[in-house]
PDB file of all heavy atoms in Angstrom:
ATOM      1  N   GLU B   6       9.875 -11.637 -45.604  1.00 88.00           N
ATOM      2  CA  GLU B   6      10.044 -10.161 -45.314  1.00 88.00           C
ATOM      3  C   GLU B   6       9.479  -9.345 -46.475  1.00 88.00           C
ATOM      4  O   GLU B   6       9.426  -9.720 -47.625  1.00 88.00           O
ATOM      5  CB  GLU B   6      11.497  -9.760 -45.193  1.00 88.00           C
ATOM      6  CG  GLU B   6      12.110 -10.171 -43.881  1.00 88.00           C
ATOM      7  CD  GLU B   6      12.807 -11.526 -43.900  1.00 88.00           C
ATOM      8  OE1 GLU B   6      12.482 -12.299 -44.661  1.00 88.00           O
ATOM      9  OE2 GLU B   6      13.755 -11.659 -42.998  1.00 88.00           O
ATOM     10  N   GLN B  14      16.795   7.957 -47.338  1.00 97.00           N
ATOM     11  CA  GLN B  14      17.919   8.946 -47.018  1.00 97.00           C
ATOM     12  C   GLN B  14      18.339   8.828 -45.625  1.00 97.00           C
ATOM     13  O   GLN B  14      17.527   8.480 -44.698  1.00 97.00           O
ATOM     14  CB  GLN B  14      17.396  10.361 -47.265  1.00 97.00           C
ATOM     15  CG  GLN B  14      17.075  10.672 -48.759  1.00 97.00           C
ATOM     16  CD  GLN B  14      18.382  10.630 -49.650  1.00 97.00           C
ATOM     17  OE1 GLN B  14      18.388  10.159 -50.734  1.00 97.00           O
ATOM     18  NE2 GLN B  14      19.428  11.281 -49.155  1.00 97.00           N
ATOM     19  N   ALA B  19      13.424   3.541 -41.207  1.00 97.00           N
ATOM     20  CA  ALA B  19      13.226   2.328 -42.155  1.00 97.00           C
ATOM     21  C   ALA B  19      12.334   1.290 -41.380  1.00 97.00           C
ATOM     22  O   ALA B  19      12.620   0.941 -40.242  1.00 97.00           O
ATOM     23  CB  ALA B  19      14.556   1.755 -42.469  1.00 97.00           C
ATOM     24  N   HIS B  45      23.207 -11.018 -34.733  1.00 97.00           N
ATOM     25  CA  HIS B  45      21.876 -10.959 -34.032  1.00 97.00           C
ATOM     26  C   HIS B  45      21.690  -9.541 -33.527  1.00 97.00           C
ATOM     27  O   HIS B  45      22.501  -8.840 -32.968  1.00 97.00           O
ATOM     28  CB  HIS B  45      21.970 -11.872 -32.749  1.00 97.00           C
ATOM     29  CG  HIS B  45      20.756 -11.965 -32.008  1.00 97.00           C
ATOM     30  ND1 HIS B  45      20.554 -11.186 -30.819  1.00 97.00           N
ATOM     31  CD2 HIS B  45      19.582 -12.602 -32.152  1.00 97.00           C
ATOM     32  CE1 HIS B  45      19.346 -11.351 -30.382  1.00 97.00           C
ATOM     33  NE2 HIS B  45      18.714 -12.316 -31.173  1.00 97.00           N
ATOM     34  N   ILE B  49      12.376 -11.119 -29.841  1.00 96.00           N
ATOM     35  CA  ILE B  49      11.094 -10.871 -29.089  1.00 96.00           C
ATOM     36  C   ILE B  49      10.386 -12.165 -28.920  1.00 96.00           C
ATOM     37  O   ILE B  49      10.335 -13.001 -29.867  1.00 96.00           O
ATOM     38  CB  ILE B  49      10.296  -9.833 -29.973  1.00 96.00           C
ATOM     39  CG1 ILE B  49       9.050  -9.472 -29.190  1.00 96.00           C
ATOM     40  CG2 ILE B  49       9.887 -10.449 -31.331  1.00 96.00           C
ATOM     41  CD1 ILE B  49       8.364  -8.216 -29.682  1.00 96.00           C
ATOM     42  N   LYS B  56       9.414  -4.319 -28.356  1.00 97.00           N
ATOM     43  CA  LYS B  56      10.739  -4.374 -27.702  1.00 97.00           C
ATOM     44  C   LYS B  56      11.573  -3.363 -28.327  1.00 97.00           C
ATOM     45  O   LYS B  56      11.537  -3.044 -29.537  1.00 97.00           O
ATOM     46  CB  LYS B  56      11.412  -5.777 -27.775  1.00 97.00           C
ATOM     47  CG  LYS B  56      12.308  -6.078 -26.667  1.00 97.00           C
ATOM     48  CD  LYS B  56      12.558  -7.597 -26.540  1.00 97.00           C
ATOM     49  CE  LYS B  56      13.487  -7.926 -25.359  1.00 97.00           C
ATOM     50  NZ  LYS B  56      13.821  -9.356 -25.356  1.00 97.00           N
ATOM     51  N   ARG B  62      13.312  -0.893 -32.923  1.00 98.00           N
ATOM     52  CA  ARG B  62      12.107  -1.142 -32.306  1.00 98.00           C
ATOM     53  C   ARG B  62      11.298  -2.254 -32.995  1.00 98.00           C
ATOM     54  O   ARG B  62      11.205  -2.265 -34.181  1.00 98.00           O
ATOM     55  CB  ARG B  62      11.151   0.039 -32.373  1.00 98.00           C
ATOM     56  CG  ARG B  62       9.777  -0.165 -31.856  1.00 98.00           C
ATOM     57  CD  ARG B  62       8.814   1.054 -31.839  1.00 98.00           C
ATOM     58  NE  ARG B  62       7.426   0.753 -31.594  1.00 98.00           N
ATOM     59  CZ  ARG B  62       6.478   0.720 -32.521  1.00 98.00           C
ATOM     60  NH1 ARG B  62       6.787   0.984 -33.730  1.00 98.00           N
ATOM     61  NH2 ARG B  62       5.268   0.545 -32.154  1.00 98.00           N
ATOM     62  N   THR B  64       8.140  -5.048 -33.110  1.00 98.00           N
ATOM     63  CA  THR B  64       6.775  -5.358 -32.579  1.00 98.00           C
ATOM     64  C   THR B  64       6.432  -6.803 -33.168  1.00 98.00           C
ATOM     65  O   THR B  64       6.992  -7.259 -34.077  1.00 98.00           O
ATOM     66  CB  THR B  64       5.685  -4.403 -33.221  1.00 98.00           C
ATOM     67  OG1 THR B  64       5.683  -4.483 -34.631  1.00 98.00           O
ATOM     68  CG2 THR B  64       5.964  -2.926 -32.816  1.00 98.00           C
ATOM     69  N   ASP B  66       2.899  -9.307 -33.559  1.00 97.00           N
ATOM     70  CA  ASP B  66       1.490  -9.564 -33.497  1.00 97.00           C
ATOM     71  C   ASP B  66       1.297 -10.980 -33.813  1.00 97.00           C
ATOM     72  O   ASP B  66       1.186 -11.388 -35.080  1.00 97.00           O
ATOM     73  CB  ASP B  66       0.755  -8.679 -34.525  1.00 97.00           C
ATOM     74  CG  ASP B  66      -0.804  -8.600 -34.418  1.00 97.00           C
ATOM     75  OD1 ASP B  66      -1.358  -9.712 -33.948  1.00 97.00           O
ATOM     76  OD2 ASP B  66      -1.390  -7.756 -34.740  1.00 97.00           O
ATOM     77  N   SER B  68      -1.435 -12.731 -33.436  1.00 96.00           N
ATOM     78  CA  SER B  68      -2.712 -13.032 -34.042  1.00 96.00           C
ATOM     79  C   SER B  68      -2.611 -12.901 -35.522  1.00 96.00           C
ATOM     80  O   SER B  68      -3.357 -13.618 -36.329  1.00 96.00           O
ATOM     81  CB  SER B  68      -3.871 -12.032 -33.546  1.00 96.00           C
ATOM     82  OG  SER B  68      -3.619 -10.782 -33.938  1.00 96.00           O
ATOM     83  N   SER B  86      21.507  -6.161 -45.273  1.00 97.00           N
ATOM     84  CA  SER B  86      20.262  -6.956 -45.399  1.00 97.00           C
ATOM     85  C   SER B  86      19.789  -7.353 -44.049  1.00 97.00           C
ATOM     86  O   SER B  86      20.593  -7.643 -43.108  1.00 97.00           O
ATOM     87  CB  SER B  86      20.554  -8.236 -46.254  1.00 97.00           C
ATOM     88  OG  SER B  86      20.778  -7.843 -47.516  1.00 97.00           O
ATOM     89  N   PHE B  88      17.269  -9.861 -41.799  1.00 97.00           N
ATOM     90  CA  PHE B  88      16.436 -11.043 -41.780  1.00 97.00           C
ATOM     91  C   PHE B  88      15.702 -11.332 -40.511  1.00 97.00           C
ATOM     92  O   PHE B  88      16.277 -11.120 -39.395  1.00 97.00           O
ATOM     93  CB  PHE B  88      17.471 -12.226 -42.019  1.00 97.00           C
ATOM     94  CG  PHE B  88      18.164 -12.239 -43.396  1.00 97.00           C
ATOM     95  CD1 PHE B  88      19.356 -11.558 -43.447  1.00 97.00           C
ATOM     96  CD2 PHE B  88      17.662 -12.844 -44.412  1.00 97.00           C
ATOM     97  CE1 PHE B  88      20.049 -11.671 -44.608  1.00 97.00           C
ATOM     98  CE2 PHE B  88      18.309 -12.876 -45.676  1.00 97.00           C
ATOM     99  CZ  PHE B  88      19.577 -12.262 -45.765  1.00 97.00           C
ATOM    100  N   LEU B  99      16.417 -22.363 -36.016  1.00 91.00           N
ATOM    101  CA  LEU B  99      15.693 -21.121 -36.553  1.00 91.00           C
ATOM    102  C   LEU B  99      15.479 -21.318 -38.059  1.00 91.00           C
ATOM    103  O   LEU B  99      16.215 -22.030 -38.723  1.00 91.00           O
ATOM    104  CB  LEU B  99      16.601 -19.999 -36.456  1.00 91.00           C
ATOM    105  CG  LEU B  99      16.896 -19.440 -34.966  1.00 91.00           C
ATOM    106  CD1 LEU B  99      17.703 -18.267 -35.034  1.00 91.00           C
ATOM    107  CD2 LEU B  99      15.534 -19.046 -34.295  1.00 91.00           C
ATOM    108  N   GLY B 104      14.747 -11.906 -46.399  1.00 95.00           N
ATOM    109  CA  GLY B 104      15.521 -10.705 -46.111  1.00 95.00           C
ATOM    110  C   GLY B 104      15.016  -9.446 -46.752  1.00 95.00           C
ATOM    111  O   GLY B 104      14.368  -9.526 -47.854  1.00 95.00           O
ATOM    112  N   LEU B 108      19.128   0.140 -48.282  1.00 98.00           N
ATOM    113  CA  LEU B 108      20.219   1.094 -48.708  1.00 98.00           C
ATOM    114  C   LEU B 108      19.807   2.464 -48.060  1.00 98.00           C
ATOM    115  O   LEU B 108      18.880   3.040 -48.239  1.00 98.00           O
ATOM    116  CB  LEU B 108      20.185   1.152 -50.169  1.00 98.00           C
ATOM    117  CG  LEU B 108      21.190   2.229 -50.831  1.00 98.00           C
ATOM    118  CD1 LEU B 108      22.628   2.006 -50.428  1.00 98.00           C
ATOM    119  CD2 LEU B 108      20.939   2.324 -52.290  1.00 98.00           C
TER     120      LEU B 108
END
Side-chain angles (χ1 to χ4, degrees):
Chain B
E6 282 94 335
Q14 293 294 136
H45 181 264
I49 187 164
K56 209 163 181 181
R62 172 179 171 254
T64 63
D66 187 334
S68 66
S86 291
F88 295 90
L99 294 180
L108 172 64

